[in-house]
Amino acid sequence: MAAPDATTARSAPGAGFSPGLILAFVCMGQFMVFTDVSIVNLALPSIQSGLDMSEVSLNYIVTAYATVLGGFLLLGGRLADTFGRRKLIQIGFTIFALASLTSGLAENGTMLIASRAVQGFGAALVTPAALAILTNTFAEGPERNKALGVWGSLSGIASIVGVILGGVLADTWGWEWIFWINVPIGLGAAVLAPRILPESKADDRGKFDTLGAVTLTAGLLLLVFTLGEATTVGWGTFRTIGSLVGVVVLLTSFVVIESKVASPMMPLRIFRLKTMRVANISAVLVFGTFGSLFFFASLFMQQAFGYSPLKAGFAYVPLAVSVAAGAGIASGLVTKIAARPVVMMGLTLTIAGLLLMWRAPADGSYAVDLLAPFILLGLGCGMVFVTLQIAAFVGVSDEDAGVGAGLINTSQEAGGALGLAVVATIAYSGMSTEMAATEGKPELIAKVHEAANHDAFLSGASLGTLALLVVAFMMPRGKKSMSSTQDEAADGPALVPAEAEK
């Protein structure tokens, strides 16, 4: 195997490139992408009033971004491996900034929803390319664990900051600024990228797998969209069942295609890496847990505690601080012990926090009933996010860094959509009948909301428990599962790391 040069070495980004600046740059990009997932939530009433949108169409402002982001992440990762990760980041930032501009200039709901979808596409190019550059810059082991600790903590914090920032901007400068704030940042990042980031790509790229790209992207787009819509249209409808059948057909076709083409978009050998495989399965369940948590915690504070949107946003601050603390703890622990016990500790804290939320009364106080569970949830969230990000890259070669990045991010997005769809279905089951029985009495309405949110928190705890069981029985034990495999990979084919984990 040829000696690594400035464009491929993981621990040496090359002359003139600072690892610290690279980390700061890619984390800034990730922060912007994740902030925009939640920044519209508290601004939706202002947007509805400004653009005269219906309640139904408001939902698509959120789902258009999330669906396209989740659907194109794996394609973005492979495009980065094939054509250059820095180049894809520049293109992604430019698309994201221009779509943010048109979002703020939107004169109707259709234009805004379309612009949000394009934003999601730009984000899907940035995220896997940025994560691939990070893993290529920092060597597997303590160096990379610390970098991924920063990355993972910002991913969790950004979603919470997005809620707060959206409320502040919408209440002061106007809802347009939740989008326009991205324009100078995105265009500036695109211009500065060549000065800060080294270029890197897979050495053996071969012919681009167009058919595989089409079937996978179509399957993921349909999956994320169907999961997001299932709560509204119902799981037993022809639309939902037909869409899920379509997802199975498309993804099965993709696997068949990948097993036959010479240069697959997603080399199936990557799934022989046991730690990576379990990390992605766990991520689906974990992000399902946290996706439902953030959605229902926001509703609980407003519906049961009577908080304003802005007050609910600031109530998340201790949770955000705890996420950063949990991420720091995890990135230190993973260098000393295996991923498995760290993830299990994080999930245990998460389940405990959700059970406390389940018991929180509607007439309770923030200090007594919400602060402690928020701290536990933040610590658990930070520990789990970071450790799964690290585990998802154990044994993944430089050639497949973009695919590995796209895969873990896709697991997170699909898991969040799946978890919210399942938990919302359980929480809202029979709610219309219960609301009708309240006869409009505020105290009875509050009780119905309290019960629905309690069901959601208990369901989230059940998802977290399932994730805990998966990690306990499937994730490799011992420090060996998190040790560097680069020397082995350099001496043999890409399957060697997988064999080392058996």
Side-chain angles (χ1 to χ4, degrees), residues 254-283:
F254 169 73
V255 173
V256 173
I257 292 167
E258 298 308 278
S259 67
K260 297 182 180 299
V261 296
S263 300
M265 177 180 164
M266 180 190 289
L268 298 182
R269 66 176 182 270
I270 200 170
F271 291 103
R272 298 185 66 179
L273 300 170
K274 187 175 181 181
T275 302
M276 182 281 299
R277 186 171 68 241
V278 176
N280 278 276
I281 295 171
S282 303

PDB file of all heavy atoms in Angstrom, residues 254-283:
ATOM      1  N   PHE A 254     -31.395  -2.058  -4.058  1.00  0.00           N
ATOM      2  CA  PHE A 254     -30.093  -1.439  -3.829  1.00  0.00           C
ATOM      3  C   PHE A 254     -29.062  -2.478  -3.379  1.00  0.00           C
ATOM      4  O   PHE A 254     -27.934  -2.507  -3.880  1.00  0.00           O
ATOM      5  CB  PHE A 254     -30.227  -0.334  -2.782  1.00  0.00           C
ATOM      6  CG  PHE A 254     -28.918   0.182  -2.285  1.00  0.00           C
ATOM      7  CD1 PHE A 254     -28.119   0.982  -3.091  1.00  0.00           C
ATOM      8  CD2 PHE A 254     -28.460  -0.141  -1.012  1.00  0.00           C
ATOM      9  CE1 PHE A 254     -26.891   1.456  -2.632  1.00  0.00           C
ATOM     10  CE2 PHE A 254     -27.245   0.324  -0.549  1.00  0.00           C
ATOM     11  CZ  PHE A 254     -26.463   1.123  -1.362  1.00  0.00           C
ATOM     12  N   VAL A 255     -29.452  -3.334  -2.433  1.00  0.00           N
ATOM     13  CA  VAL A 255     -28.517  -4.361  -1.937  1.00  0.00           C
ATOM     14  C   VAL A 255     -28.104  -5.302  -3.071  1.00  0.00           C
ATOM     15  O   VAL A 255     -26.926  -5.673  -3.196  1.00  0.00           O
ATOM     16  CB  VAL A 255     -29.165  -5.149  -0.774  1.00  0.00           C
ATOM     17  CG1 VAL A 255     -28.277  -6.330  -0.378  1.00  0.00           C
ATOM     18  CG2 VAL A 255     -29.388  -4.241   0.428  1.00  0.00           C
ATOM     19  N   VAL A 256     -29.059  -5.696  -3.911  1.00  0.00           N
ATOM     20  CA  VAL A 256     -28.751  -6.571  -5.050  1.00  0.00           C
ATOM     21  C   VAL A 256     -27.773  -5.888  -5.993  1.00  0.00           C
ATOM     22  O   VAL A 256     -26.789  -6.494  -6.457  1.00  0.00           O
ATOM     23  CB  VAL A 256     -30.045  -6.973  -5.790  1.00  0.00           C
ATOM     24  CG1 VAL A 256     -29.712  -7.735  -7.073  1.00  0.00           C
ATOM     25  CG2 VAL A 256     -30.940  -7.816  -4.882  1.00  0.00           C
ATOM     26  N   ILE A 257     -28.038  -4.612  -6.282  1.00  0.00           N
ATOM     27  CA  ILE A 257     -27.162  -3.857  -7.179  1.00  0.00           C
ATOM     28  C   ILE A 257     -25.745  -3.775  -6.604  1.00  0.00           C
ATOM     29  O   ILE A 257     -24.749  -3.991  -7.308  1.00  0.00           O
ATOM     30  CB  ILE A 257     -27.735  -2.440  -7.411  1.00  0.00           C
ATOM     31  CG1 ILE A 257     -29.028  -2.520  -8.229  1.00  0.00           C
ATOM     32  CG2 ILE A 257     -26.711  -1.549  -8.126  1.00  0.00           C
ATOM     33  CD1 ILE A 257     -29.819  -1.232  -8.231  1.00  0.00           C
ATOM     34  N   GLU A 258     -25.651  -3.466  -5.292  1.00  0.00           N
ATOM     35  CA  GLU A 258     -24.339  -3.301  -4.661  1.00  0.00           C
ATOM     36  C   GLU A 258     -23.540  -4.595  -4.648  1.00  0.00           C
ATOM     37  O   GLU A 258     -22.305  -4.573  -4.634  1.00  0.00           O
ATOM     38  CB  GLU A 258     -24.504  -2.776  -3.227  1.00  0.00           C
ATOM     39  CG  GLU A 258     -25.160  -1.422  -3.142  1.00  0.00           C
ATOM     40  CD  GLU A 258     -24.493  -0.385  -4.042  1.00  0.00           C
ATOM     41  OE1 GLU A 258     -23.475   0.187  -3.632  1.00  0.00           O
ATOM     42  OE2 GLU A 258     -24.991  -0.152  -5.160  1.00  0.00           O
ATOM     43  N   SER A 259     -24.227  -5.729  -4.633  1.00  0.00           N
ATOM     44  CA  SER A 259     -23.527  -7.018  -4.612  1.00  0.00           C
ATOM     45  C   SER A 259     -22.973  -7.397  -5.979  1.00  0.00           C
ATOM     46  O   SER A 259     -22.161  -8.314  -6.089  1.00  0.00           O
ATOM     47  CB  SER A 259     -24.473  -8.120  -4.120  1.00  0.00           C
ATOM     48  OG  SER A 259     -25.517  -8.334  -5.056  1.00  0.00           O
ATOM     49  N   LYS A 260     -23.382  -6.677  -7.027  1.00  0.00           N
ATOM     50  CA  LYS A 260     -22.989  -7.050  -8.384  1.00  0.00           C
ATOM     51  C   LYS A 260     -22.083  -6.044  -9.082  1.00  0.00           C
ATOM     52  O   LYS A 260     -21.305  -6.421  -9.948  1.00  0.00           O
ATOM     53  CB  LYS A 260     -24.253  -7.265  -9.238  1.00  0.00           C
ATOM     54  CG  LYS A 260     -25.126  -8.424  -8.748  1.00  0.00           C
ATOM     55  CD  LYS A 260     -26.338  -8.636  -9.639  1.00  0.00           C
ATOM     56  CE  LYS A 260     -27.212  -9.772  -9.153  1.00  0.00           C
ATOM     57  NZ  LYS A 260     -26.503 -11.075  -9.142  1.00  0.00           N
ATOM     58  N   VAL A 261     -22.179  -4.738  -8.733  1.00  0.00           N
ATOM     59  CA  VAL A 261     -21.409  -3.735  -9.467  1.00  0.00           C
ATOM     60  C   VAL A 261     -19.942  -3.745  -9.032  1.00  0.00           C
ATOM     61  O   VAL A 261     -19.607  -4.129  -7.903  1.00  0.00           O
ATOM     62  CB  VAL A 261     -21.996  -2.315  -9.274  1.00  0.00           C
ATOM     63  CG1 VAL A 261     -23.392  -2.237  -9.858  1.00  0.00           C
ATOM     64  CG2 VAL A 261     -21.986  -1.919  -7.816  1.00  0.00           C
ATOM     65  N   ALA A 262     -19.071  -3.308  -9.927  1.00  0.00           N
ATOM     66  CA  ALA A 262     -17.629  -3.320  -9.656  1.00  0.00           C
ATOM     67  C   ALA A 262     -17.231  -2.252  -8.640  1.00  0.00           C
ATOM     68  O   ALA A 262     -16.356  -2.467  -7.807  1.00  0.00           O
ATOM     69  CB  ALA A 262     -16.862  -3.116 -10.956  1.00  0.00           C
ATOM     70  N   SER A 263     -17.861  -1.070  -8.721  1.00  0.00           N
ATOM     71  CA  SER A 263     -17.538   0.035  -7.804  1.00  0.00           C
ATOM     72  C   SER A 263     -18.822   0.473  -7.103  1.00  0.00           C
ATOM     73  O   SER A 263     -19.464   1.450  -7.491  1.00  0.00           O
ATOM     74  CB  SER A 263     -16.939   1.213  -8.590  1.00  0.00           C
ATOM     75  OG  SER A 263     -15.754   0.820  -9.255  1.00  0.00           O
ATOM     76  N   PRO A 264     -19.227  -0.261  -6.062  1.00  0.00           N
ATOM     77  CA  PRO A 264     -20.504   0.028  -5.400  1.00  0.00           C
ATOM     78  C   PRO A 264     -20.503   1.366  -4.670  1.00  0.00           C
ATOM     79  O   PRO A 264     -19.473   1.812  -4.168  1.00  0.00           O
ATOM     80  CB  PRO A 264     -20.670  -1.125  -4.424  1.00  0.00           C
ATOM     81  CG  PRO A 264     -19.280  -1.587  -4.138  1.00  0.00           C
ATOM     82  CD  PRO A 264     -18.520  -1.383  -5.420  1.00  0.00           C
ATOM     83  N   MET A 265     -21.668   1.983  -4.618  1.00  0.00           N
ATOM     84  CA  MET A 265     -21.808   3.224  -3.866  1.00  0.00           C
ATOM     85  C   MET A 265     -21.568   2.966  -2.380  1.00  0.00           C
ATOM     86  O   MET A 265     -20.949   3.774  -1.683  1.00  0.00           O
ATOM     87  CB  MET A 265     -23.208   3.806  -4.069  1.00  0.00           C
ATOM     88  CG  MET A 265     -23.467   5.061  -3.279  1.00  0.00           C
ATOM     89  SD  MET A 265     -25.109   5.689  -3.556  1.00  0.00           S
ATOM     90  CE  MET A 265     -25.245   6.801  -2.168  1.00  0.00           C
ATOM     91  N   MET A 266     -22.077   1.838  -1.890  1.00  0.00           N
ATOM     92  CA  MET A 266     -21.822   1.433  -0.510  1.00  0.00           C
ATOM     93  C   MET A 266     -21.247   0.024  -0.511  1.00  0.00           C
ATOM     94  O   MET A 266     -21.998  -0.945  -0.638  1.00  0.00           O
ATOM     95  CB  MET A 266     -23.102   1.467   0.329  1.00  0.00           C
ATOM     96  CG  MET A 266     -22.848   1.050   1.787  1.00  0.00           C
ATOM     97  SD  MET A 266     -24.372   0.821   2.690  1.00  0.00           S
ATOM     98  CE  MET A 266     -24.889   2.506   2.832  1.00  0.00           C
ATOM     99  N   PRO A 267     -19.941  -0.106  -0.365  1.00  0.00           N
ATOM    100  CA  PRO A 267     -19.356  -1.450  -0.333  1.00  0.00           C
ATOM    101  C   PRO A 267     -19.957  -2.265   0.810  1.00  0.00           C
ATOM    102  O   PRO A 267     -19.892  -1.871   1.975  1.00  0.00           O
ATOM    103  CB  PRO A 267     -17.860  -1.173  -0.098  1.00  0.00           C
ATOM    104  CG  PRO A 267     -17.659   0.251  -0.533  1.00  0.00           C
ATOM    105  CD  PRO A 267     -18.939   0.951  -0.212  1.00  0.00           C
ATOM    106  N   LEU A 268     -20.554  -3.398   0.499  1.00  0.00           N
ATOM    107  CA  LEU A 268     -21.227  -4.193   1.526  1.00  0.00           C
ATOM    108  C   LEU A 268     -20.258  -4.748   2.556  1.00  0.00           C
ATOM    109  O   LEU A 268     -20.674  -5.142   3.645  1.00  0.00           O
ATOM    110  CB  LEU A 268     -22.011  -5.334   0.867  1.00  0.00           C
ATOM    111  CG  LEU A 268     -23.140  -4.892  -0.083  1.00  0.00           C
ATOM    112  CD1 LEU A 268     -23.870  -6.105  -0.634  1.00  0.00           C
ATOM    113  CD2 LEU A 268     -24.120  -3.953   0.609  1.00  0.00           C
ATOM    114  N   ARG A 269     -18.969  -4.747   2.241  1.00  0.00           N
ATOM    115  CA  ARG A 269     -17.971  -5.237   3.201  1.00  0.00           C
ATOM    116  C   ARG A 269     -17.984  -4.410   4.485  1.00  0.00           C
ATOM    117  O   ARG A 269     -17.592  -4.899   5.553  1.00  0.00           O
ATOM    118  CB  ARG A 269     -16.580  -5.193   2.588  1.00  0.00           C
ATOM    119  CG  ARG A 269     -16.071  -3.779   2.299  1.00  0.00           C
ATOM    120  CD  ARG A 269     -14.642  -3.769   1.775  1.00  0.00           C
ATOM    121  NE  ARG A 269     -14.170  -2.409   1.555  1.00  0.00           N
ATOM    122  CZ  ARG A 269     -14.308  -1.746   0.417  1.00  0.00           C
ATOM    123  NH1 ARG A 269     -14.911  -2.334  -0.619  1.00  0.00           N
ATOM    124  NH2 ARG A 269     -13.856  -0.517   0.288  1.00  0.00           N
ATOM    125  N   ILE A 270     -18.446  -3.157   4.401  1.00  0.00           N
ATOM    126  CA  ILE A 270     -18.423  -2.281   5.563  1.00  0.00           C
ATOM    127  C   ILE A 270     -19.305  -2.829   6.691  1.00  0.00           C
ATOM    128  O   ILE A 270     -19.067  -2.595   7.869  1.00  0.00           O
ATOM    129  CB  ILE A 270     -18.843  -0.842   5.170  1.00  0.00           C
ATOM    130  CG1 ILE A 270     -18.357   0.159   6.217  1.00  0.00           C
ATOM    131  CG2 ILE A 270     -20.346  -0.728   4.972  1.00  0.00           C
ATOM    132  CD1 ILE A 270     -18.522   1.609   5.804  1.00  0.00           C
ATOM    133  N   PHE A 271     -20.321  -3.627   6.316  1.00  0.00           N
ATOM    134  CA  PHE A 271     -21.238  -4.168   7.323  1.00  0.00           C
ATOM    135  C   PHE A 271     -20.643  -5.370   8.062  1.00  0.00           C
ATOM    136  O   PHE A 271     -21.262  -5.882   8.992  1.00  0.00           O
ATOM    137  CB  PHE A 271     -22.571  -4.540   6.673  1.00  0.00           C
ATOM    138  CG  PHE A 271     -23.355  -3.344   6.219  1.00  0.00           C
ATOM    139  CD1 PHE A 271     -23.393  -2.993   4.878  1.00  0.00           C
ATOM    140  CD2 PHE A 271     -24.028  -2.553   7.134  1.00  0.00           C
ATOM    141  CE1 PHE A 271     -24.097  -1.880   4.467  1.00  0.00           C
ATOM    142  CE2 PHE A 271     -24.735  -1.441   6.727  1.00  0.00           C
ATOM    143  CZ  PHE A 271     -24.771  -1.091   5.388  1.00  0.00           C
ATOM    144  N   ARG A 272     -19.451  -5.814   7.646  1.00  0.00           N
ATOM    145  CA  ARG A 272     -18.787  -6.895   8.372  1.00  0.00           C
ATOM    146  C   ARG A 272     -18.005  -6.372   9.575  1.00  0.00           C
ATOM    147  O   ARG A 272     -17.470  -7.150  10.347  1.00  0.00           O
ATOM    148  CB  ARG A 272     -17.857  -7.655   7.420  1.00  0.00           C
ATOM    149  CG  ARG A 272     -18.614  -8.316   6.264  1.00  0.00           C
ATOM    150  CD  ARG A 272     -17.704  -9.148   5.402  1.00  0.00           C
ATOM    151  NE  ARG A 272     -17.182 -10.298   6.121  1.00  0.00           N
ATOM    152  CZ  ARG A 272     -16.361 -11.207   5.584  1.00  0.00           C
ATOM    153  NH1 ARG A 272     -15.977 -11.065   4.316  1.00  0.00           N
ATOM    154  NH2 ARG A 272     -15.924 -12.224   6.292  1.00  0.00           N
ATOM    155  N   LEU A 273     -17.964  -5.044   9.737  1.00  0.00           N
ATOM    156  CA  LEU A 273     -17.332  -4.443  10.906  1.00  0.00           C
ATOM    157  C   LEU A 273     -18.354  -4.437  12.044  1.00  0.00           C
ATOM    158  O   LEU A 273     -19.297  -3.661  12.053  1.00  0.00           O
ATOM    159  CB  LEU A 273     -16.884  -3.017  10.593  1.00  0.00           C
ATOM    160  CG  LEU A 273     -15.874  -2.873   9.445  1.00  0.00           C
ATOM    161  CD1 LEU A 273     -15.691  -1.420   9.078  1.00  0.00           C
ATOM    162  CD2 LEU A 273     -14.541  -3.501   9.828  1.00  0.00           C
ATOM    163  N   LYS A 274     -18.162  -5.320  13.001  1.00  0.00           N
ATOM    164  CA  LYS A 274     -19.196  -5.557  14.005  1.00  0.00           C
ATOM    165  C   LYS A 274     -19.482  -4.327  14.867  1.00  0.00           C
ATOM    166  O   LYS A 274     -20.637  -3.977  15.108  1.00  0.00           O
ATOM    167  CB  LYS A 274     -18.806  -6.735  14.904  1.00  0.00           C
ATOM    168  CG  LYS A 274     -19.923  -7.146  15.857  1.00  0.00           C
ATOM    169  CD  LYS A 274     -19.555  -8.395  16.644  1.00  0.00           C
ATOM    170  CE  LYS A 274     -20.710  -8.805  17.565  1.00  0.00           C
ATOM    171  NZ  LYS A 274     -20.386 -10.003  18.361  1.00  0.00           N
ATOM    172  N   THR A 275     -18.439  -3.650  15.344  1.00  0.00           N
ATOM    173  CA  THR A 275     -18.660  -2.483  16.193  1.00  0.00           C
ATOM    174  C   THR A 275     -19.414  -1.404  15.434  1.00  0.00           C
ATOM    175  O   THR A 275     -20.353  -0.795  15.961  1.00  0.00           O
ATOM    176  CB  THR A 275     -17.317  -1.933  16.707  1.00  0.00           C
ATOM    177  OG1 THR A 275     -16.627  -2.956  17.428  1.00  0.00           O
ATOM    178  CG2 THR A 275     -17.527  -0.741  17.619  1.00  0.00           C
ATOM    179  N   MET A 276     -19.019  -1.165  14.188  1.00  0.00           N
ATOM    180  CA  MET A 276     -19.699  -0.179  13.365  1.00  0.00           C
ATOM    181  C   MET A 276     -21.152  -0.575  13.142  1.00  0.00           C
ATOM    182  O   MET A 276     -22.073   0.258  13.219  1.00  0.00           O
ATOM    183  CB  MET A 276     -18.963  -0.044  12.024  1.00  0.00           C
ATOM    184  CG  MET A 276     -19.540   1.006  11.067  1.00  0.00           C
ATOM    185  SD  MET A 276     -21.010   0.500  10.149  1.00  0.00           S
ATOM    186  CE  MET A 276     -20.383  -0.889   9.234  1.00  0.00           C
ATOM    187  N   ARG A 277     -21.385  -1.844  12.856  1.00  0.00           N
ATOM    188  CA  ARG A 277     -22.738  -2.321  12.571  1.00  0.00           C
ATOM    189  C   ARG A 277     -23.659  -2.123  13.776  1.00  0.00           C
ATOM    190  O   ARG A 277     -24.772  -1.601  13.643  1.00  0.00           O
ATOM    191  CB  ARG A 277     -22.678  -3.798  12.181  1.00  0.00           C
ATOM    192  CG  ARG A 277     -23.993  -4.386  11.716  1.00  0.00           C
ATOM    193  CD  ARG A 277     -23.788  -5.783  11.150  1.00  0.00           C
ATOM    194  NE  ARG A 277     -23.390  -6.757  12.156  1.00  0.00           N
ATOM    195  CZ  ARG A 277     -22.244  -7.439  12.139  1.00  0.00           C
ATOM    196  NH1 ARG A 277     -21.363  -7.239  11.181  1.00  0.00           N
ATOM    197  NH2 ARG A 277     -21.970  -8.314  13.092  1.00  0.00           N
ATOM    198  N   VAL A 278     -23.192  -2.516  14.956  1.00  0.00           N
ATOM    199  CA  VAL A 278     -24.007  -2.372  16.169  1.00  0.00           C
ATOM    200  C   VAL A 278     -24.197  -0.896  16.510  1.00  0.00           C
ATOM    201  O   VAL A 278     -25.259  -0.487  16.985  1.00  0.00           O
ATOM    202  CB  VAL A 278     -23.365  -3.132  17.343  1.00  0.00           C
ATOM    203  CG1 VAL A 278     -24.155  -2.907  18.625  1.00  0.00           C
ATOM    204  CG2 VAL A 278     -23.284  -4.619  17.034  1.00  0.00           C
ATOM    205  N   ALA A 279     -23.174  -0.069  16.258  1.00  0.00           N
ATOM    206  CA  ALA A 279     -23.298   1.366  16.525  1.00  0.00           C
ATOM    207  C   ALA A 279     -24.425   1.978  15.706  1.00  0.00           C
ATOM    208  O   ALA A 279     -25.195   2.813  16.201  1.00  0.00           O
ATOM    209  CB  ALA A 279     -21.981   2.075  16.216  1.00  0.00           C
ATOM    210  N   ASN A 280     -24.556   1.558  14.452  1.00  0.00           N
ATOM    211  CA  ASN A 280     -25.622   2.104  13.603  1.00  0.00           C
ATOM    212  C   ASN A 280     -27.001   1.593  14.015  1.00  0.00           C
ATOM    213  O   ASN A 280     -27.975   2.350  14.010  1.00  0.00           O
ATOM    214  CB  ASN A 280     -25.332   1.781  12.134  1.00  0.00           C
ATOM    215  CG  ASN A 280     -24.360   2.746  11.508  1.00  0.00           C
ATOM    216  OD1 ASN A 280     -24.737   3.811  11.047  1.00  0.00           O
ATOM    217  ND2 ASN A 280     -23.085   2.382  11.506  1.00  0.00           N
ATOM    218  N   ILE A 281     -27.096   0.310  14.375  1.00  0.00           N
ATOM    219  CA  ILE A 281     -28.376  -0.218  14.869  1.00  0.00           C
ATOM    220  C   ILE A 281     -28.778   0.520  16.142  1.00  0.00           C
ATOM    221  O   ILE A 281     -29.938   0.931  16.312  1.00  0.00           O
ATOM    222  CB  ILE A 281     -28.271  -1.733  15.132  1.00  0.00           C
ATOM    223  CG1 ILE A 281     -28.029  -2.489  13.823  1.00  0.00           C
ATOM    224  CG2 ILE A 281     -29.539  -2.250  15.816  1.00  0.00           C
ATOM    225  CD1 ILE A 281     -27.697  -3.966  14.019  1.00  0.00           C
ATOM    226  N   SER A 282     -27.823   0.709  17.035  1.00  0.00           N
ATOM    227  CA  SER A 282     -28.094   1.409  18.292  1.00  0.00           C
ATOM    228  C   SER A 282     -28.498   2.857  18.029  1.00  0.00           C
ATOM    229  O   SER A 282     -29.377   3.399  18.709  1.00  0.00           O
ATOM    230  CB  SER A 282     -26.861   1.372  19.199  1.00  0.00           C
ATOM    231  OG  SER A 282     -26.460   0.045  19.455  1.00  0.00           O
ATOM    232  N   ALA A 283     -27.849   3.489  17.038  1.00  0.00           N
ATOM    233  CA  ALA A 283     -28.151   4.890  16.737  1.00  0.00           C
ATOM    234  C   ALA A 283     -29.606   5.065  16.308  1.00  0.00           C
ATOM    235  O   ALA A 283     -30.245   6.069  16.642  1.00  0.00           O
ATOM    236  CB  ALA A 283     -27.220   5.413  15.650  1.00  0.00           C
TER     237      ALA A 283
END
